[in-house]
Amino acid sequence: LKCHLQDSACGVVIVPFHAAMSKPLRYNGSNFFRQRLCLATVSGRSVVITNIRPNDEEPGLRDYEASFLRLLDKLCDGADISIDETGTMLRYTPGQIIGGSNLAHNCPPSRNVTYFLEGLLLIAPLAKQPVSIRLRGVTNGGPDPSCDTFRTATLPLLAKFGLSDELVFKIVKRGALPLGGGEVVLNCPILRVIQPVELLDEGKVKRVRGVAFTARVSPQFAARMVDAARGILNDFLPDVWIYTDPAKGGTSGDSPGYGVSLVAETITRSLKSADACAKIDDIEASGRGNQEDDLGTPEAVGTAAAKRLLAEIDLDGVVDTTHQAIVLYFLSLAEEIKPARVRLSKLSPSAAQMLRHIKDFLGVAFQVREDHGDTGTVVFSCLGAGLKNTSRRTF
């Protein structure tokens, strides 16, 4: 502990813990932008981010980062967001997470709507009111997981932390790159506390499910993606079922596109996911040449998704690399009644940075223990911060 009084004998200056916590955290660069803002919001700590792409041709915040800030402003009351003239420095002071119903947000086509949905899931359970929001933008394509993967893999994962009742997600319209035009609806309830869990047993894969979508292209493309994916997966297990979802008319968005999302379920109900989406711009620019490496044909898309899923399964761990950071985040917020543990494979850069941010914002440090055997996995354990949502009524 520190206080502002100085001991003449030892010369040590001690500052109170709450005073140290009141100082804003400072970071350089735009990496892991969502993590810093979401953890700042739930912890109540201010954050200052400097040197945001200062040497780029277009320095400062990107359109999707500014859009995420506007989304946080809609969900929170009293937040203070300051951006300098060049856009290279941001100061964010969080407010109270209010939530609310009938919210709407337009997402730029530069990122998938799951970029915003994943950020929503980190703060919406701790809001004062349940969140009901409609997002418009790109639903499939880009560097982010597809909305199908979000529905079939991300949301079931949150059920392990008690977030299952009244959690509803619906894809109203498909929207592919580059114009988007898709629409989704998310209804997220609130939690009072997050229970600590142990996720240690991965189990053997018992079945694979998936969704192959098409929008403004021939519906036969979906069947070709399914055949290509099954041609690889059926060599390992027979229970493979991939549904086809051809978007028609007003539900097909503003751009043509097609893709497939796959989810493997184990005997212990762990989920591993992977997806792939066609790059229509590359196809048109190349005159429909041999674009298997660039996902230019339905067969290439189905094959890429199947190989990515097999790679995730081969890594072991209870969750895939896409969802490692989310699991670590909820474990760090859990109640302090017992340690929470999870067994993960090789950490993704996002998960590794999440561990650092959790220690900075919440003061929670994970213990790391190498798993026994030749699986190459690691067990992470921690005693959560015991964060409680005092806005939720308990009677």
Side-chain angles (χ1 to χ4, degrees):
L1 296 179
K2 296 182 177 181
C3 83
H4 290 290
L5 299 177
Q6 183 172 0
D7 190 337
S8 59
C10 63
V12 176
V13 178
I14 305 181
V15 179
F17 179 72
H18 63 82
M21 289 290 288
S22 64
K23 295 182 179 179
L25 291 171
R26 296 182 176 273
Y27 295 98
N28 284 323
S30 60
N31 292 336
F32 312 104
F33 187 76
R34 289 179 304 171
Q35 287 187 17
R36 294 166 180 172
L37 294 184
C38 291
L39 280 166
T41 303
V42 299
S43 65
R45 297 199 63 178
S46 300
V47 62
V48 176
I49 304 176
T50 57
N51 295 326
I52 303 175
R53 304 182 185 90
N55 300 322
D56 284 16
E57 293 182 1
E58 298 180 0
L61 295 172
R62 294 290 180 259
D63 57 350
Y64 57 88
E65 293 168 338
S67 180
F68 188 74
L69 283 170
R70 289 193 293 270
L71 179 60
L72 285 180
D73 191 48
K74 291 179 181 179
L75 293 174
C76 302
D77 183 26
D80 183 20
I81 302 173
S82 301
I83 305 174
D84 68 348
E85 295 179 356
T86 61
T88 59
M89 188 186 76
L90 164 70
R91 183 183 180 93
Y92 174 70
T93 302
Q96 185 180 10
I97 310 173
I98 300 298
S101 58
N102 299 322
L103 300 175
H105 187 72
N106 294 322
C107 308
S110 51
R111 293 299 288 263
N112 199 304
V113 295
T114 53
Y115 175 86
F116 304 89
L117 288 169
E118 289 175 347
L120 274 174
L121 285 184
L122 300 183
I123 61 175
L126 302 172
K128 185 176 182 180
Q129 303 171 5
V131 174
S132 176
I133 188 169
R134 184 179 299 267
L135 300 176
R136 303 180 182 91
V138 175
T139 61
N140 298 83
D144 306 294
S146 67
C147 284
D148 297 292
T149 300
F150 181 83
R151 177 176 57 85
T152 56
T154 307
L155 296 185
L157 178 63
L158 298 185
K160 300 180 184 296
F161 298 96
L163 195 67
S164 58
D165 297 338
E166 301 178 6
L167 182 62
V168 179
F169 179 71
K170 182 180 180 181
I171 302 174
V172 180
K173 294 170 59 178
R174 294 280 180 181
L177 289 171
L179 300 179
E183 186 174 313
V184 300
V185 176
L186 174 68
N187 295 329
C188 182
I190 58 176
L191 295 175
R192 186 174 183 274
V193 294
I194 297 173
Q195 298 296 330
V197 297
E198 291 190 351
L199 306 174
L200 300 175
D201 189 6
E202 175 193 7
K204 300 295 184 180
V205 175
K206 66 177 181 179
R207 63 185 178 187
V208 174
R209 295 292 182 264
V211 176
F213 89 96
T214 58
R216 295 185 178 272
V217 297
S218 171
Q220 294 299 322
F221 281 20
R224 292 166 61 183
M225 289 186 291
V226 171
D227 290 341
R230 286 180 62 97
I232 295 177
L233 297 174
N234 280 144
D235 291 340
F236 300 93
L237 77 165
D239 192 359
V240 178
W241 188 267
I242 304 173
Y243 300 89
T244 58
D245 183 16
K248 302 177 182 178
T251 63
S252 58
D254 299 331
S255 296
Y258 54 91
V260 60
S261 170
L262 302 174
V263 177
E265 183 180 352
T266 69
I267 57 177
T268 58
R269 306 193 71 176
S270 296
L271 300 175
K272 302 288 187 72
S273 63
D275 55 47
C277 190
K279 299 179 180 179
I280 300 295
D281 291 344
D282 293 344
I283 302 172
E284 294 175 350
S286 61
R288 290 187 179 273
N290 183 13
Q291 296 290 319
E292 290 191 4
D293 294 337
D294 295 331
L295 304 182
T297 63
E299 288 77 13
V301 173
T303 300
K307 289 182 177 180
R308 291 173 185 175
L309 182 64
L310 292 177
E312 290 288 353
I313 296 172
D314 185 56
L315 285 175
D316 294 321
V318 177
V319 297
D320 54 47
T321 53
T322 303
H323 297 95
Q324 288 176 344
I326 296 177
V327 172
L328 293 172
Y329 170 83
F330 279 101
L331 291 183
S332 68
L333 300 181
E335 217 173 355
E336 300 175 284
I337 55 177
K338 67 175 183 178
R341 298 189 296 169
V342 62
R343 186 164 69 91
L344 301 177
S345 61
K346 180 180 178 181
L347 286 184
S348 65
S350 176
Q353 189 62 40
M354 178 63 84
L355 292 173
R356 302 184 185 103
H357 285 154
I358 287 172
K359 187 173 182 180
D360 291 344
F361 286 95
L362 302 175
V364 175
F366 280 79
Q367 294 183 350
V368 184
R369 176 177 59 83
E370 187 176 358
D371 200 9
H372 300 293
D374 57 353
T375 59
T377 57
V378 177
V379 175
F380 292 83
S381 60
C382 76
L383 196 63
L387 203 64
K388 295 183 179 180
N389 186 357
T390 56
S391 300
R392 177 171 175 173
R393 296 180 179 179
T394 57
F395 55 89

